[in-house]
Amino acid sequence: DAGVIQSPRHEVTEMGQEVTLRCKPISGHDYLFWYRQTMMRGLELLIYFNNNVPIDDSGMPEDRFSAKMPNASFSTLKIQPSEPRDSAVYFCASSLHNPADEQFFGPGTRLTVL
Amino acid sequence: AQSVTQLDSHVSVSEGTPVLLRCNYSSSYSPSLFWYVQHPNKGLQLLLKYTSAATLVKGINGFEAEFKKSETSFHLTKPSAHMSDAAEYFCVVSDWAGANNLFFGTGTRLTVIP
């Protein structure tokens, strides 16, 4: 398996623009997670899905953030409108059958909002 | 309540000398504990995990960690540092209740001096 795949790897956009980050989890994994990593706040869990259903989105910072998982092999994290403080590295991860077991991380998307 | 404390934000060692990265946790339950490594511009990768089996856990790349309940510690060690070990290391505790009960430490940056 190729592991968790994220695209794009880098995104530079201007404030106010819509940003969509994409993730393909490892095949057969039941859980998918979106994290944000910054120097100030470290690694933060934004939302996670079980079998394509959002389970906990309490980490989503604002209504500007939304995430979807239309099928078992694809998820998106959307920011609309984007702001400079959204600049961070966004990671997608997946785990097999338990959300608190080993998670496999993608390489991340480095987002810069100017 | 769960929490994890990584006692050193930065550790510097010479190549070929031992590595010790310290982690203390607090947990109301029998926890699972993990160490992840993050190389520059990469996602997190699991080094090793403890799930109430043997207290000495061996991981990849020669790393190991010992679960000490009396000390609430889960320190990461390696007998001889290699240049490729330079990275950020995260200690993680979970109580298996869900992804929102997965607590990441703030990370320890390991520098290896040639």
Side-chain angles (χ1 to χ4, degrees):
Chain A
D1 199 310
V4 175
I5 299 172
Q6 291 186 248
S7 65
R9 292 295 310 278
H10 302 273
E11 177 80 31
V12 180
T13 190
E14 293 189 347
M15 183 174 64
Q17 297 298 305
E18 177 180 295
V19 174
T20 300
L21 312 181
R22 297 173 175 79
C23 175
K24 176 178 167 47
I26 293 173
S27 177
H29 281 199
D30 292 340
Y31 289 87
L32 182 140
F33 313 84
W34 282 100
Y35 290 90
R36 177 172 68 176
Q37 185 179 41
T38 61
M39 290 292 292
M40 292 296 293
R41 301 173 69 92
L43 199 64
E44 303 172 276
L45 176 65
L46 300 177
I47 184 172
Y48 77 96
F49 296 81
N50 177 25
N51 293 324
N52 315 337
V53 176
I55 301 301
D56 185 349
D57 65 354
S58 59
M60 296 284 263
E62 300 170 34
D63 291 344
R64 299 184 295 106
F65 286 69
S66 62
K68 294 182 180 179
M69 193 167 185
N71 57 63
S73 59
F74 184 65
S75 176
T76 60
L77 177 67
K78 186 176 292 187
I79 308 172
Q80 166 64 16
S82 58
E83 297 183 3
R85 59 193 169 122
D86 302 330
S87 298
V89 181
Y90 291 81
F91 288 103
C92 177
S94 66
S95 68
L96 191 52
H97 297 313
N98 188 309
D101 201 0
E102 176 183 0
Q103 295 184 15
F104 294 80
F105 284 75
T109 295
R110 182 174 295 277
L111 173 65
T112 302
V113 183
L114 302 174
Chain B
Q2 305 266 43
S3 70
V4 61
T5 302
Q6 291 186 243
L7 296 154
D8 307 294
S9 60
H10 188 200
V11 170
S12 185
V13 300
S14 296
E15 189 177 18
T17 64
V19 176
L20 170 63
L21 306 183
R22 299 182 293 167
C23 173
N24 285 99
Y25 70 92
S26 68
S27 173
S28 304
Y29 310 97
S30 295
S32 291
L33 293 154
F34 308 81
W35 276 99
Y36 283 83
V37 60
Q38 184 180 25
H39 287 94
N41 301 313
K42 302 285 188 184
L44 278 71
Q45 179 187 14
L46 183 72
L47 271 180
L48 50 80
K49 66 178 179 180
Y50 166 78
T51 54
S52 75
T55 56
L56 183 62
V57 183
K58 294 188 183 299
I60 62 172
N61 300 334
F63 284 94
E64 62 182 38
E66 186 170 8
F67 174 71
K68 292 187 176 180
K69 187 175 182 178
S70 61
E71 299 176 12
T72 61
S73 69
F74 190 58
H75 300 335
L76 182 70
T77 60
K78 183 173 180 177
S80 176
H82 191 273
M83 294 299 295
S84 61
D85 295 327
E88 189 93 15
Y89 291 81
F90 294 91
C91 182
V92 184
V93 62
S94 86
D95 66 358
W96 290 80
N100 54 351
N101 290 83
L102 200 66
F103 292 86
F104 285 79
T106 51
T108 298
R109 181 168 299 279
L110 176 65
T111 298
V112 182
I113 303 167

